[in-house]
Structure formats: structure tokens, C-alpha cells
Amino acid sequence: MLGVEEIHTFYGLSHILFGVSLTVLRGEIVCLLGRNGAGKSTTMRSIMGLTPPRQGTIRFRGKDITGNKPYQIARMGIGYVPDDRRVFADLSVGENLELAQRTTGGLAVWDKDRVYSFFPALRRIDSRKAGFLSGGEQQMLTIGRALMTNPDFLLLDEPTEGLAPMIVKELEDRIGRLRAEGLTVLLAEQNQKVALRLSDKGYIIDNGLIRYHGSTEELTADEEARKKYLLV
Amino acid sequence: MEIIGDLTFAGLASHLLVGLSRAMILFIVTSGLSFVLGVLRVPNIAHGSLYMIGAFVAFSISHAIGGNTGFWVALLLSPVVVGLVALIAERSLFCHLYEREHLMLLLFTFALMLILGDLVKMFWGADYRSIMAPKYLRGSINIFDSPFPKYNLFLLVIGPIVAVLLWLFSNKTKMGKIARAAAVDREMVGAIGINVSWVFAFAFVLGCLLAGLGGALVSPTVSVTLGMDHDIIMEAFLIVTIGGLGNMWGALVGSLLFGITQSFGVLFWPQFAIVFPYLAVVIVLIWKPTGMLKSVW
Ligand SMILES: Nc1ncnc2c1ncn2[C@@H]1O[C@H](COP(=O)(O)OP(=O)(O)OP(=O)(O)O)[C@@H](O)[C@H]1O
Ligand SMILES: [Mg+2]
């Protein structure tokens, strides 16, 4: 469904990704593991068109989407949940969701009510300004906001970072449910446990290079590789 | 030397009303500048030029049509004309520049101000022009036993209407909410599938339209002439700064402070009246360097 081929991405003059390639098949959850500054978020931003790669191609459903604008990529069915959450702080929870609503395409039709059934904690705070939410609530809101665009592919950048274990568990459960509904997910994580429980396969990125890839079983078994690239 | 003028209750009240009506013009112009600053992050120095163009277009239209109707048509059409100028400028120039640094944008809009100033000179010349308000808005009525110009009362009605419309727009319409979201995080607005480029064009045109409206509204109270752009843009930037960048209510509060200190300055110390608003600005900025209300920057 998604094919990233040999991309090189820069921030200004600094070269960050050095020929990253990865493949995500329909219905899979694929995790992208790597320590701080490894290039996970940059990979996500490259796919979303926020920091377009200078070299290499990105294909989505067989179509070359390299160089497309983020709004076009979103409309093709890619939802983006950034690592730093970035809710629209000045708008209410409900308004955050409504702005993202997109009724064409996609697998299932998401609306505000469905997001609230999916994350019941959000329903009570519908009219609260998003800037006043807790970390967990903001994370639910950014996932809900991405779902409102009716994506069939979701980029999740460290959704559990800095959250309490209870909330991490809830999010883990929800991500599993999304897969069950047919959504495909690329999940960037530092939290190996959560990532390996959810994914079908995984990639390890370090210093802008893919160092390892394999099925979850292989990754779980290969403690050496994980130690080498993931331990801080 | 008379330092303290007519210090009766009636005198105070009428100065207050004049100050308030001046504040309404300032608010209309400044809210547009502030909107463009907040949503597009563009410090548009040419905003004052659009205000001046609004006044000149109002002059031409009202003279072409004449009479009371001329005034109303001018009031409605000149913001539209200014909006069109803004649309052309946005689609051809501004839309390529949003990612540039602020210094570049300042230089660019400064250049645009000079160019627009020259264009106005070519079109309308350097003469002083004047516009008549409709008959029923001319002259004064007595409030608290002192005469108060009817046209200023009219401004006192228009100002709040514009404020309410702006509030409704940014809080009740989808476009307004998108603009508020874009002011905080334009990248994420794109990432949820919204074409920010058109949102920006719309926001820019709306902001400039307000400059045009301000110019048309002010035209019966001043002589319409070259140089109007410089005067207003200085004041407008100061007001936006003391109010809080990008904050519409800040534009209102700042305009009120500016307008009222200006008119009370005239009352208490006419020779140095011009100093008072600037003094108020300095005091506000020492007290709150980011402005009285929350800045979106
Ligand atoms: N806007 C930017 N400008 C310049 N360099 C950047 C920028 N954002 C990230 N970088 C650099 O790019 C490299 C990769 O960062 P990236 O955010 O992709 O890492 P990450 O794997 O997501 O890390 P984390 O786990 O901390 O989120 C880092 O060295 C970082 O310093
Ligand atoms: Mg990251």
C-alpha cells in the first residue's frame, strides 16, 4: 500500500535521511523503531509531504505521491498524527474534529459521534478548548482528528510518548481495533513493548539509515540487534 | 497659554464621544492588519496604502454618482475594489512569500507601499479631495448640551457592527475556524486535508477589505490625500502591538486606548495632543511588552 524508496530528506542543509526504504502492505501495522533523533519523525514528515524528500520516491496505492502537497496527500487517504500532538489549541475539542471532517473516500465514515464512541473521554469535554486538555486527551484528540479525515492509512508518531500506563494501554487497544477495521498503520515508537505487541513487522532506523527489518517474531528474537540500535 | 480647556461634564463627554468614534475607524483598519498578521504572519506595511486607496476610490465613486446615493455606493463598493486589488496582489505576489523571514516580508510590503503610493499619485494626483457625507449625516446634534457631529455617531454604530460580524465570522463559520487554526499551526491545517493556500488568500482579502472600509468610512471626516497611508500604518502597527498581535479584541482595546487618549490630549493640552497616545503606548509596552491581550505569535 505504501512504498518508500530510497528517500533522502534534508532540513535546510542538514542531511537527515540517507536512502530510507520501507514497505507497508494493506492491513498491516508496521513499526518504525529508533532512538531519539534517529529519523522516525522525519520519515513520517517525508511521507506526509511536510518535509518532502529531495531524492527518492514515495508511492501510495501504486501512485507516485512524491512532491505532492500535504493537503493532497491527506485527501488521498493518509492520516497524520504528529509526535508533538499539535491540537488547534484555540479551538474546542468538537471544533478540532469538525474542521478535519472529510466525507469522501475512506473505509468507514467517521464523524464526531463515532470518534466520541471510540474515545469516550472526549465526549464529556466537547466544548473545552483543546489547549486545556491533558496529554492523554490531546493524544486522543489528534488521533480522532486524523480519523475524521477518513484515512485508510495512518501515520502514528510516538502516540504513547510521555503518557501514563493506563492511557498507553487504552491507546494500544484502540490502535488494535483500528487494524481490525482494516486501517493500515505505520507506527513510530521508542516504546518497544507496545510496538512489538501491535505490529506485524518492524524496521529499525538509526542515524537516518534503516539498519534492520523483519517480522515481529524475528525482531523479538533478535535481542542483539535491538540492543545495538535501540539502547540509549 | 491655556493648558486645560473646557473641563465641564459636557466637554468631557463630547471629547469622549469623538475619541470613541476615532477609535472605531482605527479598530476597523487595525483588525484587518491584525488578522493578516495572525493568520498569515505577514506584517503588511502596505495595509495603510489599501486604506488610502479605499478613501480615493470612495471619492471617485461618490463624485461619479453624486448625492446621498453616491456616498452609500462608495461605502459598499470601495472595500470590494480594495479587496480585488488585494486578491491580485495575493495570488501574484504574496502567496509565494509566506515561507520567507519576517525581515524579507517587511521589505517587500514596504516596497509595495511605495509602489501603491505612486500609483495613487498617478491616478488621482497630489490634490486634496473631499467627500460629503449624506445630508442626514451632516451637522451636529446636541448631546449633554454640547454639539456632537452626526457622522461620528454613525461611526459609533458601524464600529460595533463590524466587531460583531468579525466575531461571528471567526467563531461561527468554518472558514473563520480554519483561519484561527491556521494562525496557530498552518502545517497541521494542511495535514488534515485543507488547502491552506486558499484560506490564506481569503484571509488576506478580508483583512485588506477592512482597510478599504476604514478608508471609505474616514473619507468624509478628513481630506483625502497622499500621505494618509503613512499616518495610519504607524498608528495601526502601534495599536496591534499594544493590543496583542493577531488578537482581534486586542485591536479593539488598543484602538480605544489610542482614540481616547488622542481626544483627551486635545482637551487637556492641545499643543501637545499628538504625544498622548504615544505616551500611552510606551506605558503599555513597559507594563506588558507582548501587548494587553494574548498574542498569537
Ligand atoms: N526542524 C529541524 N531542523 C533541523 N534539524 C532537525 C529538525 N527536526 C529534526 N531535526 C534533526 O533531525 C534528526 C532526526 O530527527 P527526528 O525528529 O526525525 O528523530 P526521531 O527519530 O523522530 O526522534 P524522537 O524519538 O526524538 O522523536 C535529529 O538529529 C534532529 O536533530
Ligand atoms: Mg520524533
Side-chain angles (χ1 to χ4, degrees):
Chain A
M1 185 168 213
L2 180 85
V4 174
E5 295 157 21
E6 287 286 318
I7 58 166
H8 290 258
T9 304
F10 296 70
Y11 287 113
L13 288 177
S14 34
H15 196 163
I16 307 292
L17 299 185
F18 300 86
V20 166
S21 301
L22 48 88
T23 312
V24 184
L25 302 178
R26 184 177 293 278
E28 275 183 335
I29 294 187
V30 174
C31 65
L32 183 60
L33 298 168
R35 31 181 177 226
N36 269 324
K40 303 181 294 295
S41 300
T42 309
T43 306
M44 299 286 203
R45 292 178 57 85
S46 303
I47 297 170
M48 200 60 208
L50 297 166
T51 314
R54 294 217 189 135
Q55 261 181 61
T57 37
I58 296 165
R59 280 175 213 289
F60 181 59
R61 293 208 203 99
K63 224 177 106 189
D64 185 353
I65 60 165
T66 332
N68 282 10
K69 292 261 180 307
Y71 81 91
Q72 295 166 322
I73 292 173
R75 288 179 188 183
M76 287 172 196
I78 300 186
Y80 174 59
V81 179
D83 53 350
D84 38 7
R85 297 188 188 130
R86 297 165 68 175
V87 293
F88 301 128
D90 197 33
L91 302 179
S92 72
V93 169
E95 288 170 333
N96 265 269
L97 295 174
E98 283 157 18
L99 279 197
Q101 186 145 30
R102 172 140 272 108
T103 39
T104 49
L107 290 169
V109 175
W110 286 87
D111 57 17
K112 210 165 86 169
D113 201 54
R114 183 142 178 246
V115 170
Y116 287 162
S117 318
F118 195 68
F119 290 122
L122 292 181
R123 193 186 295 274
R124 288 177 288 113
I125 51 174
D126 170 73
S127 57
R128 194 176 302 169
K129 282 242 160 102
F132 296 131
L133 304 187
S134 71
E137 290 163 340
Q138 288 198 358
Q139 190 62 65
M140 292 178 199
L141 181 57
T142 39
I143 296 176
R145 184 178 64 185
L147 291 173
M148 290 292 278
T149 65
N150 281 308
D152 28 34
F153 185 94
L154 203 57
L155 294 166
L156 277 176
D157 198 347
E158 300 201 46
T160 64
E161 189 192 5
L163 298 180
M166 274 247 305
I167 301 185
V168 172
K169 237 179 139 43
E170 184 178 347
L171 288 174
E172 190 182 332
D173 167 71
R174 292 312 129 88
I175 295 167
R177 265 166 62 181
L178 290 176
R179 190 239 310 263
E181 292 189 21
L183 224 75
T184 309
V185 178
L186 179 61
L187 172 70
E189 266 298 351
Q190 288 202 49
N191 186 336
Q192 292 179 45
K193 279 202 190 117
V194 171
L196 292 175
R197 273 201 300 264
L198 279 167
S199 327
D200 301 291
K201 64 180 194 211
Y203 289 81
I204 295 180
I205 187 171
D206 196 38
N207 279 324
L209 287 165
I210 298 287
R211 303 287 186 167
Y212 187 100
H213 72 102
S215 67
T216 308
E217 291 75 31
E218 287 167 336
L219 206 51
T220 317
D222 196 340
E223 204 170 316
E224 203 181 315
R226 282 191 288 136
K227 271 205 177 123
K228 188 162 166 206
Y229 298 118
L230 298 176
L231 279 190
V232 191
Chain B
M1 184 174 81
E2 187 197 50
I3 288 185
I4 295 196
D6 174 24
L7 249 190
T8 59
F9 175 69
L12 284 174
S14 95
H15 272 84
L16 181 65
L17 287 175
V18 169
L20 283 176
S21 58
R22 173 70 189 154
M24 293 301 107
I25 298 276
L26 290 173
F27 164 67
I28 289 168
V29 176
T30 308
S31 60
L33 179 69
S34 186
F35 192 66
V36 170
L37 259 171
V39 179
L40 295 92
R41 307 281 152 132
V42 174
N44 184 13
I45 298 184
H47 195 75
S49 316
L50 296 160
Y51 161 86
M52 177 167 73
I53 293 175
F56 273 101
V57 171
F59 161 78
S60 292
I61 294 176
S62 73
H63 277 256
I65 297 176
N68 296 346
T69 340
F71 171 81
W72 292 110
V73 175
L75 192 58
L76 286 177
L77 276 189
S78 59
V80 176
V81 173
V82 171
L84 279 175
V85 172
L87 183 65
I88 294 166
E90 203 279 339
R91 286 291 94 183
S92 59
L93 300 168
F94 281 90
C95 72
H96 305 293
L97 299 168
Y98 293 135
E99 302 304 322
R100 299 298 179 88
E101 329 145 41
H102 292 135
L103 187 61
M104 286 289 294
L105 289 167
L106 277 173
L107 281 172
F108 168 70
T109 60
F110 183 71
L112 191 65
M113 177 187 80
L114 298 178
I115 294 168
L116 289 175
D118 274 354
L119 286 177
V120 167
K121 197 168 164 187
M122 279 165 57
F123 260 77
W124 283 282
D127 298 340
Y128 287 73
R129 317 281 189 160
S130 66
I131 297 176
M132 290 289 251
K135 278 212 180 61
Y136 35 85
L137 291 180
R138 282 178 228 161
S140 306
I141 53 173
N142 278 340
I143 297 180
F144 304 119
D145 285 334
S146 66
F148 189 73
K150 285 186 200 162
Y151 192 80
N152 289 48
L153 276 184
F154 169 66
L155 293 178
L156 284 178
V157 176
I158 295 288
I161 292 177
V162 171
V164 168
L165 287 178
L166 273 178
W167 184 85
L168 285 175
F169 166 73
S170 56
N171 289 281
K172 298 292 168 197
T173 68
K174 180 146 188 183
M175 199 53 147
K177 290 175 189 175
I178 293 174
R180 275 161 63 210
V184 180
D185 194 338
R186 59 170 85 160
E187 202 176 72
M188 266 323 292
V189 172
I192 59 171
I194 294 169
N195 186 351
V196 201
S197 170
W198 282 106
V199 177
F200 281 8
F202 182 85
F204 187 74
V205 169
L206 180 70
C208 295
L209 205 128
L210 287 164
L213 178 65
L217 277 171
V218 85
S219 61
T221 66
V222 295
S223 38
V224 175
T225 179
L226 294 174
M228 285 175 81
D229 48 350
H230 300 197
D231 299 341
I232 193 85
I233 199 64
M234 277 284 298
E235 298 186 351
F237 265 106
L238 287 174
I239 290 169
V240 169
T241 312
I242 61 174
L245 300 182
N247 186 320
M248 198 192 80
W249 298 118
L252 183 59
V253 174
S255 301
L256 288 172
L257 183 72
F258 213 90
I260 290 171
T261 46
Q262 213 164 35
S263 67
F264 277 105
V266 172
L267 181 65
F268 291 119
W269 203 356
Q271 297 91 325
F272 292 96
I274 187 82
V275 177
F276 285 80
Y278 295 94
L279 215 58
V281 168
V282 170
I283 291 168
V284 168
L285 288 183
I286 289 171
W287 164 54
K288 273 199 158 184
T290 58
M292 292 180 283
L293 302 182
K294 200 174 129 247
S295 154
V296 303
W297 277 46

